[in-house]
Amino acid sequence: SPTDLKEVEHYVKNHYAEPNDSMFGIAKGKNVVYIHLESFQQFLIDYQLTDENGEKHTVTPFLNSLYHGESTYSFDNFFHQVKAGKTSDAETLMENSLFGLNQGALFTQMGDKNTFEAAPNILQQKAGYTSAVFHGHSASFWNREKTYKHLGFDYFFDSSYYDVNDENSFQYGMHDKPFLNQSVQYLEHLQQPFYAKMITVSNHYPYSRFKNDEDGFPLANTKDETINGYFATANYLDTALKEFFDYMKASGLYDNSIFVLYGDHYGISNTRNKELAPLLGKDSSSWTDYDNAQLQRVPFMIHIPGVTTGGINHTYGGQVDALPTLLHLLGVDSKNYLQLGQDLFSDEHKQVVAFRDGDFVTPEYTFYGGKMYNNQTGTVIADPTPEQEKLFTQLNQDVDEQLITSDKINNGDLLRFYQDSGLAPIDPATFDYHNQLE
Ligand code: GP9
Ligand code: MN
């Protein structure tokens, strides 16, 4: 209702974080290539897997080089915020700076009904961007085809645009190397500047070996097959990305593009983490929910060729913060949009990261599974001081308010009433993803 919209607008105004002057517009006019790192957790970065001979193997040498490079703004306290909608929830968060739903997936429940003011739409209307999604799987998965039209994506290259066969694919679509290889021909033909998203899948559960993975990265040696395969499929993704960057350089697109890499959600679920613990140098017997929470970190890296002021930023944030961060780098102020995250580079960015179920993490505290932990010790705070009590109440309120505001917007389809963005409404019926080659 209009009253709900007023409350939402009030929240958004109060929560807005001003851009950082030194970052605003540094990537203005550049192509944006989003790279979705399937099931990729932060602990893989810089990880070395020890094989049965005691030899160490770096899992993601290419991503590590980006992560540590001077042309990449990397984050090491960035968390996924998805729930049951998994990949699609990550997309919801990254494209809209809104959360997914507390139950089920927004893409399937509302993706083909609601009004959105998503990244492709904003960038098209405010900065003349063309937008496209690339994904070597069927268009109907997660209701993507319909949802992307509502998000304003101009193009969607699904598996029908690729040469897919039994050898180069599995149940979730094409393996990353042929997928990225075949994507470049389409990418090259997009009108620039473009906003493109590459959704990888090889590093998807069950992380099993497949034909043509010629690298033969070793398996881990635990009792859990899922954990054992995870490093090898992540390594395959890493090699695929290295190749993709080489194609981008060869095509001449690299210098005029920025690359935003993000992990969508965990790959190893909490029920398996005790088995994973020894590989992380931890003791399974003392593993707690505190440790589970810390493992919800995923990569967030913004690689800007030519820039030399990158580095590892320790700011706490989550996927909801990605869009305002990106818009500001592109020189588009997020002020007038109903976005719930905050620019990670802003001095006003509040370091409270909400999980979808109301748990949260801050630099000092972790609230997970109904318990409050001290990050310094990793132990439960059994007797909070009065100041802590007050702070925890405040943090809980902040988190609830953000989540409730998101639910109000989505459940009430409130963006259909919103006027102040200055964006013309999009007509989903104008997009045809089946005849998009000249
Ligand atoms: C498949 C893929 C997987 O198209 O994006 O989604 P997930 O199972 O991770 O939600
Ligand atoms: Mn996923």
Side-chain angles (χ1 to χ4, degrees):
S1 73
T3 344
D4 281 343
L5 182 59
K6 277 275 156 296
E7 286 167 16
V8 165
E9 287 182 41
H10 184 77
Y11 173 83
V12 169
K13 242 193 200 88
N14 282 327
H15 194 65
Y16 168 75
E18 291 232 349
N20 177 329
D21 282 343
S22 66
M23 300 298 286
F24 190 81
I26 64 165
K28 198 176 171 144
K30 301 258 188 196
N31 302 316
V32 177
V33 182
Y34 249 98
I35 301 176
H36 174 107
L37 307 172
E38 180 57 41
S39 304
F40 198 104
Q41 290 173 241
Q42 179 68 19
F43 76 79
L44 291 169
I45 298 292
D46 288 339
Y47 189 80
Q48 293 193 310
L49 184 73
T50 308
D51 68 17
E52 70 266 26
N53 304 318
E55 236 175 273
K56 291 186 171 191
H57 301 261
T58 302
V59 179
T60 61
F62 178 68
L63 284 168
N64 298 350
S65 72
L66 286 185
Y67 180 73
H68 292 286
E70 60 178 9
S71 303
T72 310
Y73 297 96
S74 305
F75 290 83
D76 61 356
N77 290 306
F78 185 86
F79 293 77
H80 81 78
Q81 298 173 297
V82 314
K83 216 172 166 187
K86 304 297 289 287
T87 287
S88 71
D89 278 356
E91 293 189 66
T92 300
L93 281 146
M94 306 296 288
E95 301 295 349
N96 299 286
S97 189
L98 298 174
F99 286 81
L101 305 178
N102 201 31
Q103 271 176 342
L106 182 139
F107 265 40
T108 43
Q109 292 178 37
M110 299 164 178
D112 53 352
K113 295 183 189 76
N114 278 13
T115 297
F116 299 96
E117 294 192 342
N121 184 16
I122 295 170
L123 288 173
Q124 138 70 210
Q125 295 197 41
K126 298 291 167 179
Y129 276 70
T130 307
S131 56
V133 181
F134 298 81
H135 185 49
H137 195 209
S138 65
S140 59
F141 200 88
W142 283 129
N143 204 23
R144 278 190 173 106
E145 173 158 17
K146 290 177 180 159
T147 304
Y148 287 159
K149 293 180 180 180
H150 282 244
L151 297 178
F153 276 106
D154 294 317
Y155 304 103
F156 176 21
F157 296 94
D158 68 345
S159 53
S160 69
Y161 285 88
Y162 294 82
D163 176 13
V164 190
N165 54 53
D166 287 351
E167 297 278 294
N168 71 6
S169 66
F170 74 132
Q171 64 186 128
Y172 292 101
M174 262 184 119
H175 297 314
D176 298 339
K177 285 186 193 181
F179 161 64
L180 291 169
N181 179 311
Q182 292 181 37
S183 295
V184 179
Q185 56 181 319
Y186 301 125
L187 200 56
E188 279 180 315
H189 284 96
L190 290 183
Q191 166 132 2
Q192 298 185 52
F194 56 71
Y195 172 82
K197 168 157 77 173
M198 326 303 299
I199 305 181
T200 68
V201 283
S202 297
N203 190 49
H204 192 290
Y205 178 85
Y207 316 111
S208 35
R209 261 202 198 299
F210 46 87
K211 281 186 201 162
N212 302 322
D213 177 10
E214 67 281 357
D215 298 332
F217 197 83
L219 301 178
N221 185 23
T222 73
K223 287 196 222 79
D224 186 333
E225 290 303 322
T226 300
I227 294 173
N228 293 348
Y230 186 55
F231 301 90
T233 49
N235 172 260
Y236 173 84
L237 166 59
D238 186 75
T239 318
L241 292 174
K242 182 187 186 303
E243 291 180 3
F244 178 64
F245 273 62
D246 289 341
Y247 306 142
M248 291 298 287
K249 286 176 184 164
S251 73
L253 287 168
Y254 176 80
D255 290 321
N256 216 19
S257 303
I258 73 167
F259 299 82
V260 185
L261 300 95
Y262 71 96
D264 63 340
H265 49 74
Y266 61 83
I268 306 298
S269 61
N270 285 351
T271 53
R272 301 178 189 275
N273 280 345
K274 281 193 179 166
E275 195 63 40
L276 176 68
L279 295 183
L280 304 179
K282 297 269 166 65
D283 187 353
S284 308
S285 61
S286 57
W287 189 266
T288 66
D289 254 348
Y290 171 80
D291 303 296
N292 286 330
Q294 307 317 310
L295 280 192
Q296 306 313 309
R297 284 177 171 82
V298 292
F300 187 59
M301 306 182 208
I302 305 169
H303 179 69
I304 308 183
V307 155
T308 54
T309 52
I312 301 170
N313 186 320
H314 306 303
T315 299
Y316 277 64
Q319 290 164 333
V320 75
D321 300 314
L323 180 55
T325 305
L326 175 70
L327 288 178
H328 290 173
L329 294 176
L330 298 177
V332 176
D333 199 334
S334 66
K335 195 175 196 140
N336 294 327
Y337 306 120
L338 296 187
Q339 299 176 355
L340 303 183
Q342 295 181 318
D343 181 347
L344 292 165
F345 296 111
S346 170
D347 294 336
E348 296 171 354
H349 175 83
K350 256 191 153 188
Q351 301 189 77
V352 186
V353 188
F355 294 117
R356 177 58 256 205
D357 57 7
D359 289 344
F360 60 85
V361 182
T362 76
E364 288 84 30
Y365 301 104
T366 296
F367 185 70
Y368 204 72
K371 290 197 181 104
M372 189 68 78
Y373 299 85
N374 182 330
N375 289 355
Q376 218 116 70
T377 59
T379 53
V380 176
I381 302 175
D383 295 303
T385 64
E387 294 81 60
Q388 282 178 323
E389 292 248 31
K390 224 180 115 194
L391 175 67
F392 297 162
T393 309
Q394 185 59 51
L395 290 170
N396 261 305
Q397 264 174 26
D398 289 349
V399 164
D400 285 349
E401 211 187 347
Q402 192 183 33
L403 294 168
I404 288 168
T405 305
S406 180
D407 289 340
K408 272 185 196 154
I409 295 173
N410 291 326
N411 292 328
D413 188 12
L414 294 185
L415 281 163
R416 83 197 132 127
F417 303 125
Y418 186 61
Q419 302 286 342
D420 296 352
S421 62
L423 295 175
I426 36 177
D427 179 4
T430 56
F431 301 108
D432 177 2
Y433 297 151
H434 293 280
N435 298 293
Q436 47 189 11
L437 296 174
E438 50 275 70

